[in-house]
Amino acid sequence: MRSMASSPSPKGIAAIVGVGPKLGRSIARKFAHEGYTVAILARDLGQLSRFADEIAREEKAQVFAIRIDCSESRSIKEAFEGVLSLGFVEVLVYNAYHPLSWTPTSFSDIRLDHFEKSVVVSSVGAFHCAQQVLPGMIDRGRGTILFTGCTASLNGIDGYSDLCCGKFALRGLSQSLARELQPMGVHVAHVIIDGIIGTPRGTLPSTCQQSSSSHQRSSSSSVGEQQHAGGGGDGVMDPDVLAQTYWQLHMQDRAIWTQEIDVRPGGPRLC
Amino acid sequence: MRSMASSPSPKGIAAIVGVGPKLGRSIARKFAHEGYTVAILARDLGQLSRFADEIAREEKAQVFAIRIDCSESRSIKEAFEGVLSLGFVEVLVYNAYHPLSWTPTSFSDIRLDHFEKSVVVSSVGAFHCAQQVLPGMIDRGRGTILFTGCTASLNGIDGYSDLCCGKFALRGLSQSLARELQPMGVHVAHVIIDGIIGTPRGTLPSTCQQSSSSHQRSSSSSVGEQQHAGGGGDGVMDPDVLAQTYWQLHMQDRAIWTQEIDVRPGGPRLC
Amino acid sequence: MRSMASSPSPKGIAAIVGVGPKLGRSIARKFAHEGYTVAILARDLGQLSRFADEIAREEKAQVFAIRIDCSESRSIKEAFEGVLSLGFVEVLVYNAYHPLSWTPTSFSDIRLDHFEKSVVVSSVGAFHCAQQVLPGMIDRGRGTILFTGCTASLNGIDGYSDLCCGKFALRGLSQSLARELQPMGVHVAHVIIDGIIGTPRGTLPSTCQQSSSSHQRSSSSSVGEQQHAGGGGDGVMDPDVLAQTYWQLHMQDRAIWTQEIDVRPGGPRLC
Amino acid sequence: MRSMASSPSPKGIAAIVGVGPKLGRSIARKFAHEGYTVAILARDLGQLSRFADEIAREEKAQVFAIRIDCSESRSIKEAFEGVLSLGFVEVLVYNAYHPLSWTPTSFSDIRLDHFEKSVVVSSVGAFHCAQQVLPGMIDRGRGTILFTGCTASLNGIDGYSDLCCGKFALRGLSQSLARELQPMGVHVAHVIIDGIIGTPRGTLPSTCQQSSSSHQRSSSSSVGEQQHAGGGGDGVMDPDVLAQTYWQLHMQDRAIWTQEIDVRPGGPRLC
């Protein structure tokens, strides 16, 4: 089930659930870069293993690829048995969602089982993953749980009822957990990504190139685009930069914790 | 499956899903009083049949009791075959939810299957019921769908993660559907009930009695209470009065439609 | 200062502040129609007097036109001395705002005094008017204060910083007052008008005519239009229908009170 | 008017408006520490000069104390002539507000001139300060404007109508400006401080001491406390840690910008 194995890190494990070629991979890379042992989880174990190898090599870190299907409670339980065997899970990032499609879908055309799966992956899956790692966090009085929201977390969007339903749910879950878990020393935060995520720019030949990824939009992307036209630059967010936000949230001093932060494409490039 | 049967009403059918002794019953009574044929749906067919008989007798209306389990897609489909056989469903009210318990539950103590059922009943059940009645509404270019939210729709609450997750989801669904369906002539609105629902006062002996129901609180009630202490009167809302809000939303002229309204206990009684 | 005078009504006075040819006039007419003595207040006393005469004649009601400049505290105080001399002010509706212009204005081009006046009229003026009528309401343990918001109450809008600043402020004021005054029996509510207000349709020749008023848009109108394209019908709201919402809020039973309601153009006409 | 003078910094100026012994001072110190020339502005020039001397000495930075009264447009204009003479203002932080009192004030007891001043300082003052620095930022296509909100920015609070009115207004202003200025390369963000700010802990003798400042609560503090009981630790936020949030917002890569972030007391100390 894992593509690599080793002894647990003293720093604890960062488990990233919902890892594709953009945000999840960048967050995993960031935590690996900062010295964490990282477990990355998604459905496509082949792709996941390539990411794990790549990050392990580039960041000289321990990275474990573990298959998970967040619509299946048994799969979540088994996957986290693997994660927890690595050591104390200090950080959980939950990114997973299961879009109906990459384009707007008329309400009448949505199949019930698809709708339910989409909502369950966005919200119940997040609950279930959090429940796996919480006993360890509560025991130690520390830990960070970060949930990924999007434009659809804040306002209903025509043609994306499943996404809105699931992402609103995740926000409600996040707020409830934050209030309950903060007094126990566990930091719960919700990141609202209000726009399109592109591919990392760092690896492309230098300054001011256009994103090569405008055709590879995520579902939340096309949604975000309608809502926040007129953003800066090419309007596409670099996932490596987004990953810094996740890192900063985890690094927040106990004196203050953020519960919710939004991020969107910034101003035009200066060059 | 029905406790009464008769020919369809020319006015169309009002289907009320999630009917207990308080809000659902009062809404059903109000629509019956206004001349609608009413279908009331819930899990407890015995209680439902008593309500149907009572409303039919008192309001001289046609009232059908149909069993539904909103956590089961097959049950929803079958129940609505019954509802749709009565005629055009002009109004759908969705009240159903499946609380984990009547008191706060620590996150770690929640069983996954209970959490999932609670979220699914609040949100996916609403989607599924709406999908059953929409083809008829879209065909005729008219119809009203009313969703019931509560305090937990707006802010996360410690100990009520399932309720917040489900009720946030329902709000996201409601907003998405409103944007999609309004241009087709279907009115979708979300009623946020921010407080405790008591029993109807109209039937009690005369003026300024205390609510007899302070011990019969609904789950959303105890939640609301913490949030809005210091409301007026005894702080308990009369469901017969709440039902008027549903009726007024349905009666709104096409010139303006409300998407969201809150209601809470009003000022102290004048007497 | 008044264009008409007479003995106070037993029902109390409805004072409508910010009365132009659309919403304010329609609200005044509705309360007059329901038997209230009405005071209408605005800067243009000539227009105001014509409205007062028209409503008095058509509704066989007492209507008083009183000049007010909501940017001047002295003017507010004097105007309300007139209003209060008519009797108990049972209802206050505050509609007034002072737009910078009818089109978006770049932040850098806004004159400070214009900005300040716009914000003060939207918010401080509302505070001041409420303060004039509150002693009477608190004494009697009853009264209704209704504030008019718009699309700009909920989200910042490029080019309308003064409107957003003032309307956000009014919403904050409304929520604070509601919490403070509800236990004293005073109902405070905020109506979010999310779209364009046209001219009343009732007086135009029969069915399904287009609004004659698409060129007479209010400032909140052009704002609303951008945000909620694809609404129903011609997308213009009939102020006579909007006025019913104000009336219904005032008529709410003490068992439940609404603090916030939105209204927007409804579905397409059926004809 | 200034307590120190020197040649402009190549990095640009950070202007902090509303500097008392807690948050403003900590933000000023952070930007000084990071190499910025800092202008601190408030009404009490004596206290301000002591802060300027202290920060200049400890951080080996240029710090200018400039008197400002944010309720007076002339004072704002004059103060910023001083600030702009120092060089390009790259960062503006607006913290100023003018509380009616440190305890809840009944609506009926508020004097109009106090209410107006409070609202104007929170919102119109922010507009005016932003307008002074924007031409330079727009010219260069870069700059950061950070507004400080609090618990009262999000929900009305009984007894704090002036604070809610002003802080809601500031949030609306912030959202409008962000949309307008982001395409011009200017980053506008709103920090919601949801809780009590204490005094910096760094200067106290080491680990796990209680905050010495529980009696020195700011107005937003007592407000926050009611809303968010049960936070972690002693429930008091260290302003030096809060200042890091302002610095991180300024440092955000142009690939992503945050418009809104909340911060509140974190979990219990580990010691």
Side-chain angles (χ1 to χ4, degrees):
Chain A
M1 188 190 267
R2 310 168 206 156
S3 71
M4 261 185 73
S6 95
S7 62
S9 151
K11 253 199 176 168
I13 309 297
I16 321 296
V17 181
V19 172
K22 295 181 185 173
L23 182 60
R25 181 165 64 162
S26 292
I27 295 172
R29 188 193 303 276
K30 176 66 180 170
F31 279 85
H33 183 79
E34 299 290 346
Y36 278 80
T37 297
V38 175
I40 57 178
L41 300 96
R43 278 193 303 173
D44 180 347
L45 188 57
Q47 177 178 261
L48 210 53
S49 299
R50 287 193 301 279
F51 294 160
D53 291 346
E54 169 199 301
I55 298 171
R57 190 179 62 243
E58 294 175 6
E59 306 295 344
K60 317 226 174 304
Q62 291 183 313
V63 184
F64 300 82
I66 299 177
R67 192 183 177 279
I68 197 169
D69 179 342
C70 289
S71 69
E72 295 291 339
S73 63
R74 175 192 290 264
S75 170
I76 290 176
K77 261 195 108 68
E78 286 176 3
F80 273 86
E81 283 167 16
V83 175
L84 290 163
S85 74
L86 301 171
F88 166 50
V89 179
E90 188 183 328
V91 181
L92 170 68
V93 176
Y94 193 85
N95 267 332
Y97 71 101
H98 179 81
L100 282 170
S101 86
W102 306 106
T103 51
T105 309
S106 159
F107 182 72
S108 308
D109 296 340
I110 300 175
R111 278 181 46 192
L112 177 71
D113 54 343
H114 288 182
F115 184 89
E116 179 161 354
K117 192 169 183 173
S118 174
V119 172
V120 163
V121 168
S122 286
S123 60
V124 178
F127 167 87
H128 202 196
C129 290
Q131 230 183 18
Q132 306 308 305
V133 302
L134 267 171
M137 291 181 176
I138 291 172
D139 262 13
R140 286 165 184 81
R142 68 191 175 94
T144 303
I145 299 178
L146 304 173
F147 295 118
T148 300
C150 66
T151 308
S153 304
L154 298 178
N155 289 294
I157 304 173
D158 179 5
Y160 291 91
S161 54
D162 66 302
L163 185 67
C164 295
C165 197
K167 288 296 192 183
F168 268 66
L170 181 63
R171 191 179 184 218
L173 177 66
S174 165
Q175 291 185 9
S176 301
L177 291 193
R179 284 170 199 257
E180 183 170 340
L181 298 174
Q182 181 182 309
M184 302 181 207
V186 179
H187 183 187
V188 179
H190 184 229
V191 183
I192 299 173
I193 299 183
D194 190 9
I196 306 167
I197 305 175
T199 46
R201 281 164 174 142
T203 55
L204 297 183
S206 81
T207 50
C208 283
Q209 72 279 5
Q210 286 301 305
S211 162
S212 62
S213 63
S214 51
H215 59 291
Q216 295 172 300
R217 284 169 184 170
S218 74
S219 153
S220 69
S221 301
S222 48
V223 164
E225 191 177 32
Q226 293 170 254
Q227 302 283 310
H228 278 272
D234 56 6
V236 174
M237 288 183 278
D238 182 335
D240 284 352
V241 183
L242 285 172
Q244 291 172 19
T245 297
Y246 287 75
W247 175 252
Q248 286 176 349
L249 287 169
H250 175 52
M251 282 290 96
Q252 279 187 321
D253 187 289
R254 259 154 204 276
I256 69 156
W257 278 349
T258 289
Q259 211 286 300
E260 196 159 88
I261 182 173
D262 61 33
V263 287
R264 52 196 61 168
R269 304 272 188 113
L270 289 172
C271 69
Chain B
M1 185 189 269
R2 309 166 208 158
S3 71
M4 260 187 70
S6 95
S7 61
S9 151
K11 252 199 176 168
I13 309 297
I16 321 296
V17 181
V19 172
K22 294 179 184 175
L23 182 60
R25 181 166 63 164
S26 292
I27 296 172
R29 188 192 303 276
K30 176 65 180 170
F31 279 86
H33 183 79
E34 299 290 347
Y36 278 78
T37 297
V38 175
I40 56 179
L41 300 96
R43 278 192 303 172
D44 180 345
L45 189 58
Q47 176 179 261
L48 210 53
S49 298
R50 287 193 300 279
F51 294 161
D53 290 346
E54 169 199 302
I55 298 171
R57 190 180 60 245
E58 293 175 7
E59 305 295 344
K60 316 220 174 310
Q62 293 183 313
V63 185
F64 299 82
I66 299 177
R67 192 184 177 280
I68 198 168
D69 179 342
C70 291
S71 69
E72 294 291 340
S73 63
R74 177 193 289 262
S75 171
I76 291 177
K77 261 196 107 69
E78 285 176 3
F80 273 86
E81 284 167 14
V83 176
L84 290 163
S85 75
L86 301 172
F88 166 52
V89 179
E90 188 182 328
V91 181
L92 170 68
V93 176
Y94 193 86
N95 268 332
Y97 71 101
H98 180 80
L100 282 170
S101 86
W102 305 108
T103 52
T105 308
S106 159
F107 182 71
S108 308
D109 296 339
I110 301 175
R111 279 183 42 195
L112 177 71
D113 55 341
H114 289 181
F115 184 89
E116 177 160 354
K117 191 169 182 172
S118 175
V119 173
V120 163
V121 168
S122 285
S123 60
V124 178
F127 168 87
H128 201 195
C129 290
Q131 228 182 21
Q132 306 308 305
V133 302
L134 267 171
M137 291 182 176
I138 292 172
D139 262 13
R140 286 164 184 81
R142 68 192 175 94
T144 302
I145 298 177
L146 302 174
F147 295 117
T148 300
C150 66
T151 309
S153 304
L154 298 177
N155 289 293
I157 304 173
D158 180 4
Y160 291 92
S161 54
D162 66 301
L163 185 66
C164 295
C165 197
K167 288 296 191 180
F168 268 66
L170 182 62
R171 190 180 185 219
L173 178 66
S174 165
Q175 291 185 9
S176 301
L177 291 193
R179 285 173 199 256
E180 182 171 340
L181 296 174
Q182 181 181 311
M184 301 180 207
V186 179
H187 183 187
V188 179
H190 184 230
V191 182
I192 298 173
I193 299 181
D194 190 9
I196 307 167
I197 305 176
T199 47
R201 282 164 172 141
T203 56
L204 297 183
S206 86
T207 49
C208 282
Q209 71 279 6
Q210 286 301 307
S211 164
S212 62
S213 63
S214 51
H215 58 290
Q216 297 172 301
R217 285 171 183 167
S218 73
S219 152
S220 68
S221 300
S222 49
V223 164
E225 191 178 31
Q226 292 170 255
Q227 302 282 312
H228 279 271
D234 56 5
V236 174
M237 288 183 277
D238 182 335
D240 284 352
V241 184
L242 286 171
Q244 291 172 19
T245 298
Y246 288 75
W247 175 252
Q248 285 175 349
L249 287 169
H250 174 53
M251 282 290 96
Q252 280 187 320
D253 187 290
R254 259 154 205 274
I256 68 156
W257 277 350
T258 289
Q259 211 286 300
E260 197 160 85
I261 182 174
D262 60 33
V263 287
R264 52 196 61 168
R269 302 273 189 113
L270 290 173
C271 68
Chain C
M1 189 189 266
R2 309 167 206 157
S3 71
M4 259 186 74
S6 96
S7 61
S9 151
K11 254 199 175 167
I13 309 297
I16 321 295
V17 181
V19 171
K22 294 179 185 175
L23 182 60
R25 180 164 64 163
S26 292
I27 295 171
R29 187 193 303 277
K30 176 66 180 169
F31 279 85
H33 183 79
E34 299 290 345
Y36 279 80
T37 296
V38 175
I40 56 178
L41 299 96
R43 278 193 302 174
D44 180 346
L45 188 58
Q47 178 178 261
L48 210 53
S49 299
R50 287 194 300 280
F51 294 160
D53 291 345
E54 168 198 303
I55 297 171
R57 191 179 61 242
E58 292 175 9
E59 305 295 343
K60 316 222 174 307
Q62 291 183 312
V63 184
F64 299 82
I66 299 177
R67 192 183 178 279
I68 199 169
D69 179 342
C70 290
S71 69
E72 296 290 342
S73 63
R74 176 192 290 264
S75 170
I76 291 177
K77 260 194 109 68
E78 286 176 2
F80 272 86
E81 282 166 15
V83 176
L84 290 163
S85 74
L86 300 172
F88 166 51
V89 179
E90 187 182 330
V91 181
L92 170 68
V93 176
Y94 193 85
N95 267 334
Y97 71 101
H98 180 80
L100 283 170
S101 86
W102 306 107
T103 52
T105 308
S106 160
F107 182 72
S108 309
D109 296 340
I110 300 175
R111 280 182 44 193
L112 176 71
D113 55 343
H114 288 182
F115 185 88
E116 178 160 353
K117 190 168 184 174
S118 175
V119 172
V120 163
V121 168
S122 285
S123 60
V124 179
F127 168 87
H128 201 195
C129 290
Q131 230 183 16
Q132 306 308 306
V133 301
L134 267 171
M137 291 182 176
I138 292 171
D139 262 12
R140 287 164 184 80
R142 68 192 175 95
T144 302
I145 298 177
L146 303 174
F147 296 117
T148 300
C150 66
T151 309
S153 304
L154 298 178
N155 289 294
I157 304 172
D158 180 5
Y160 291 91
S161 53
D162 66 302
L163 185 66
C164 295
C165 196
K167 288 296 192 182
F168 268 66
L170 181 63
R171 191 181 184 216
L173 177 66
S174 165
Q175 291 185 10
S176 300
L177 292 194
R179 284 172 199 258
E180 182 171 340
L181 297 174
Q182 181 182 310
M184 302 181 207
V186 179
H187 182 187
V188 179
H190 184 230
V191 183
I192 298 173
I193 299 182
D194 189 9
I196 305 167
I197 304 175
T199 46
R201 281 164 173 140
T203 56
L204 297 183
S206 84
T207 49
C208 283
Q209 71 279 6
Q210 286 302 306
S211 162
S212 62
S213 63
S214 49
H215 59 290
Q216 295 171 299
R217 284 169 184 170
S218 73
S219 153
S220 68
S221 300
S222 49
V223 165
E225 190 178 32
Q226 291 170 256
Q227 301 283 311
H228 278 271
D234 57 6
V236 174
M237 287 183 279
D238 183 335
D240 284 352
V241 184
L242 286 171
Q244 291 173 19
T245 297
Y246 287 74
W247 176 251
Q248 286 175 349
L249 287 169
H250 174 54
M251 283 288 97
Q252 279 187 321
D253 187 291
R254 260 156 202 273
I256 69 157
W257 277 349
T258 288
Q259 210 285 300
E260 196 160 87
I261 181 174
D262 61 32
V263 287
R264 51 196 62 167
R269 304 271 188 113
L270 290 172
C271 70
Chain D
M1 186 189 270
R2 308 167 207 159
S3 70
M4 261 187 71
S6 95
S7 62
S9 151
K11 253 202 175 166
I13 309 297
I16 321 296
V17 181
V19 171
K22 295 179 183 175
L23 183 59
R25 180 164 63 162
S26 292
I27 296 172
R29 189 193 302 278
K30 177 65 181 170
F31 279 85
H33 183 78
E34 298 290 346
Y36 277 80
T37 297
V38 175
I40 56 178
L41 300 96
R43 278 192 302 172
D44 180 346
L45 188 57
Q47 177 179 261
L48 211 52
S49 298
R50 288 193 300 280
F51 294 161
D53 291 345
E54 168 199 302
I55 298 172
R57 189 178 63 244
E58 293 175 7
E59 305 295 344
K60 318 224 173 306
Q62 292 183 312
V63 185
F64 300 83
I66 299 177
R67 192 183 179 279
I68 198 169
D69 178 342
C70 291
S71 69
E72 294 291 341
S73 64
R74 176 193 289 263
S75 171
I76 291 177
K77 261 196 108 68
E78 285 176 3
F80 272 87
E81 282 167 15
V83 176
L84 290 163
S85 75
L86 301 172
F88 166 51
V89 179
E90 188 181 329
V91 181
L92 170 67
V93 176
Y94 193 85
N95 268 332
Y97 71 101
H98 179 81
L100 282 171
S101 87
W102 306 106
T103 51
T105 309
S106 159
F107 182 72
S108 308
D109 296 339
I110 300 175
R111 278 183 43 195
L112 177 71
D113 55 343
H114 289 181
F115 185 89
E116 178 160 353
K117 192 168 182 173
S118 175
V119 172
V120 163
V121 168
S122 286
S123 60
V124 178
F127 168 87
H128 201 195
C129 291
Q131 228 182 20
Q132 306 307 306
V133 302
L134 267 171
M137 292 181 176
I138 292 171
D139 262 12
R140 288 165 183 79
R142 68 193 175 93
T144 302
I145 297 177
L146 304 175
F147 295 117
T148 300
C150 67
T151 310
S153 305
L154 298 177
N155 289 294
I157 304 173
D158 181 4
Y160 291 91
S161 54
D162 67 302
L163 184 66
C164 296
C165 196
K167 288 296 193 180
F168 267 66
L170 182 63
R171 190 179 185 219
L173 177 66
S174 165
Q175 291 185 9
S176 300
L177 291 194
R179 284 171 199 257
E180 182 170 340
L181 297 174
Q182 180 181 311
M184 302 181 209
V186 179
H187 182 187
V188 179
H190 184 229
V191 183
I192 298 172
I193 299 182
D194 190 10
I196 306 168
I197 305 176
T199 47
R201 281 163 173 142
T203 56
L204 297 182
S206 81
T207 51
C208 282
Q209 72 278 7
Q210 286 302 305
S211 163
S212 62
S213 62
S214 51
H215 59 290
Q216 296 172 301
R217 284 172 184 166
S218 72
S219 152
S220 69
S221 300
S222 49
V223 164
E225 190 178 32
Q226 292 170 254
Q227 302 283 309
H228 279 271
D234 56 5
V236 175
M237 289 183 276
D238 182 335
D240 285 351
V241 183
L242 285 171
Q244 291 172 19
T245 298
Y246 287 76
W247 175 252
Q248 286 175 350
L249 287 169
H250 174 54
M251 282 290 95
Q252 280 187 320
D253 188 289
R254 258 152 208 277
I256 69 156
W257 278 350
T258 288
Q259 211 285 300
E260 196 160 86
I261 182 173
D262 60 33
V263 287
R264 52 195 62 167
R269 302 273 189 112
L270 290 172
C271 68

